[in-house]
C-alpha cells in the first residue's frame, strides 16, 4: 500500500481526555461486577423451584460476561505493544470480546427459551413453599419478590452511568453492557409478575415470565452478534446501538468521495477506531494526517485513526 498514512494503533496514543474516560469506565465496571456478584448471591438464596427465578439468576450471572470482557480488552489495549507476531497491536481485542459476549448471550437465551417452552408444553407445576425465619413461617415468594426488586436497582444506576461513557469512547461492548443493565428492570418486573402469578395459583405464569426474560436475552445476543461479526470480517463501521452503518463512517465516506472524485473509498472498524483506504488516488502534497479528513466535531477526530492512499497501478 503506497501513499501517506498516519495511524494511532495503541490506547496510549489516544487523547488524554479519552484515556481518562476509559479509566472511569474501567472503575465503573469493577463496581458493576461487585454489585452483580451481590445480586447473584441474593437471588441464589431464594431460587426455590421457580423457573422465573432460575432464568433471572442465570441472566444475572451472564451479566458478568460483558464487564469482565471489557476489563480484559481495555487492559490488553493499554499494555499490548506491537510485536512481530502482533504487528498491529491489540486494538481489535475489544471487538473480539464483544463477539464472545454476544455468542454467550444468544446461546444461553436460546437454551433458556427452549427450557421455558418445554415447561409450558409439559404443563409442569412449580410450587413456592414457605421458610421458617425467627420462629415464623414466611412464604418464600415474598423473599423472591424482594430479591427481584433489589436486582433491579444497581443495574439501572450503573447502566445510566455507562451510556455516556460508551458514547464518548465509541465502545460497543460497553454500550451493550449499559443497555443490558438499563433494561434489567424488565427482567425484574417479569420475575415479580411470575412469582405473584404462582401465588395466585396460575401455574403457567412462572414459565411465561421465564420465556419473556429468555427472549429478551436471545434478542440482545442476536443483535450484538450482527454488529460484532461485521467488525471481525472487515465490514463497514456499525452504529453503537444497532447493526446499521455508523453515522460517523458515512460522513467520512462522503467527505473522501468529495475530495477524491472517482476514487473507491473503503472503510473498516478496528475496535473503536475507523480506518479508511482511498483506492485510485494519490495523497495530496499538503497531507498532514487523518485529522484533516474528519468531518465531525474536532474533539472526536481521534475516531479516524488512518487514511491510506492506494494509487492506480496504471497511473503514472
Amino acid at each position: 500500500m503506497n501513499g501517506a498514512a498516519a495511524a494511532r494503533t495503541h490506547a496510549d496514543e489516544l487523547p488524554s481526555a479519552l484515556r481518562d474516560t476509559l479509566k472511569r469506565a474501567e472503575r465503573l465496571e469493577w463496581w458493576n461486577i461487585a454489585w452483580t456478584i451481590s445480586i447473584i448471591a441474593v437471588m441464589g438464596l431464594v431460587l426455590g423451584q421457580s423457573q422465573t427465578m432460575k432464568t433471572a439468576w442465570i441472566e444475572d450471572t451472564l451479566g458478568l460476561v460483558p464487564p469482565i470482557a471489557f476489563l480484559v480488552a481495555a487492559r490488553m489495549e493499554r499494555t499490548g505493544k506491537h510485536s512481530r507476531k502482533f504487528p498491529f497491536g491489540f486494538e481489535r481485542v475489544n471487538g473480539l470480546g464483544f463477539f464472545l459476549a454476544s455468542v454467550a448471550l444468544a446461546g444461553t437465551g436460546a437454551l433458556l427459551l427452549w427450557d421455558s417452552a418445554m415447561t409450558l408444553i409439559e404443563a409442569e407445576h412449580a410450587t413456592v413453599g414457605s421458610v421458617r425465619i425467627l420462629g415464623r413461617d414466611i412464604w418464600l415468594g415474598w423473599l423472591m419478590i424482594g430479591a427481584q426488586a433489589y436486582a433491579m436497582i444497581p443495574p439501572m444506576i450503573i447502566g445510566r452511568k455507562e451510556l455516556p461513557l460508551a458514547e464518548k469512547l465509541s465502545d460497543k461492548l460497553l454500550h451493550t453492557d449499559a443497555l443490558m443493565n438499563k433494561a434489567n428492570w424488565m427482567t425484574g418486573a417479569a420475575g415479580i409478575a411470575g412469582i405473584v402469578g404462582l401465588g395466585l395459583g396460575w401455574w403457567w405464569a412462572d414459565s411465561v415470565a421465564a420465556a419473556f426474560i429468555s427472549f429478551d436475552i436471545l434478542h440482545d445476543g442476536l443483535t450484538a452478534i450482527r454488529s460484532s461479526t461485521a467488525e471481525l470480517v472487515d465490514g463497514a463501521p456499525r452504529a453503537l446501538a444497532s447493526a446499521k452503518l455508523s453515522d460517523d463512517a458515512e460522513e467520512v465516506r462522503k467527505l473522501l468521495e468529495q475530495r477524491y472524485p472517482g476514487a473507491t473509498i473503503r472503510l473498516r472498524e478496528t475496535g473503536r477506531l475507523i480506518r479508511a483506504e482511498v483506492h485510485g488516488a494519490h495523497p495530496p502534497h499538503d497531507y498532514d494526517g487523518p485529522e484533516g479528513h474528519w468531518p465531525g466535531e474536532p474533539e472526536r477526530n481521534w475516531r479516524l485513526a488512518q487514511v491510506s492512499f492506494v494509487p492506480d497501478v496504471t497511473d503514472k
Side-chain angles (χ1 to χ4, degrees):
M1 182 175 293
N2 301 316
R8 305 179 194 90
T9 56
H10 194 267
D12 289 340
E13 297 168 352
L14 296 173
S16 59
L18 204 67
R19 295 199 298 271
D20 292 339
T21 301
L22 183 59
K23 290 178 181 177
R24 288 202 302 273
E26 289 180 72
R27 288 194 295 269
L28 188 60
E29 289 296 48
W30 280 114
W31 278 107
N32 189 9
I33 291 173
W35 281 112
T36 302
I37 289 175
S38 74
I39 291 171
I40 292 170
V42 170
M43 296 280 284
L45 290 174
V46 295
L47 280 181
Q49 297 181 10
S50 169
Q51 185 74 19
T52 301
M53 290 296 293
K54 291 177 182 177
T55 305
W57 181 81
I58 291 174
E59 185 189 30
D60 291 329
T61 304
L62 277 174
L64 289 172
V65 176
I68 290 175
F70 175 82
L71 290 171
V72 171
R75 180 174 177 80
M76 291 185 69
E77 270 188 279
R78 187 167 48 251
T79 61
K81 304 294 184 180
H82 308 286
S83 66
R84 187 174 179 181
K85 290 186 176 180
F86 296 95
F88 296 98
F90 292 93
E91 64 190 54
R92 263 188 167 172
V93 71
N94 180 276
L96 178 61
F98 182 32
F99 174 74
L100 294 176
S102 303
V103 172
L105 280 176
T108 305
L111 289 173
L112 291 175
L113 185 60
W114 170 262
D115 190 39
S116 301
M118 292 305 297
T119 301
L120 277 172
I121 292 172
E122 296 173 4
E124 294 182 11
H125 290 55
T127 58
V128 178
S130 300
V131 292
R132 196 164 186 81
I133 300 178
L134 300 177
R136 300 184 63 182
D137 290 330
I138 298 177
W139 182 52
L140 186 58
W142 293 121
L143 300 181
M144 292 179 176
I145 291 172
Q148 288 280 18
Y150 169 68
M152 294 168 65
I153 299 172
M156 288 184 67
I157 297 173
I158 291 174
R160 289 182 180 275
K161 289 181 175 294
E162 284 177 329
L163 274 178
L165 298 180
E167 291 169 357
K168 287 182 181 179
L169 292 167
S170 291
D171 193 299
K172 293 185 177 67
L173 178 54
L174 183 63
H175 191 267
T176 299
D177 187 31
L179 292 181
M180 285 178 58
N181 279 321
K182 273 193 67 178
N184 263 11
W185 69 268
M186 294 174 61
T187 299
I192 291 173
I195 301 304
V196 171
L198 280 180
L200 294 174
W202 302 339
W203 66 267
W204 47 265
D206 185 50
S207 295
V208 169
F212 176 81
I213 297 171
S214 303
F215 182 80
D216 187 54
I217 298 172
L218 178 60
H219 178 266
D220 288 342
L222 292 177
T223 301
I225 283 177
R226 289 181 61 193
S227 185
S228 61
T229 303
E231 179 185 339
L232 295 179
V233 297
D234 280 338
R238 298 306 201 264
L240 272 180
S242 70
K244 296 181 179 179
L245 295 181
S246 164
D247 290 337
D248 285 347
E250 286 295 281
E251 291 300 319
V252 170
R253 180 184 60 79
K254 290 177 182 177
L255 178 62
L256 292 175
E257 287 177 344
Q258 290 174 0
R259 290 190 179 179
Y260 308 101
T264 300
I265 309 301
R266 297 179 184 176
L267 300 178
R268 61 190 175 96
E269 196 168 32
T270 55
R272 64 187 93 256
L273 305 175
I274 296 173
R275 298 185 179 278
E277 294 180 6
V278 183
H279 289 251
H282 287 277
H285 295 296
D286 58 349
Y287 181 80
D288 58 354
E291 290 87 354
H293 291 79
W294 179 254
E297 299 173 352
E299 59 269 22
R300 284 183 59 81
N301 62 15
W302 58 268
R303 276 274 278 159
L304 186 58
Q306 183 177 9
V307 177
S308 301
F309 295 84
V310 187
D312 194 324
V313 294
T314 62
D315 190 8
K316 302 296 184 181

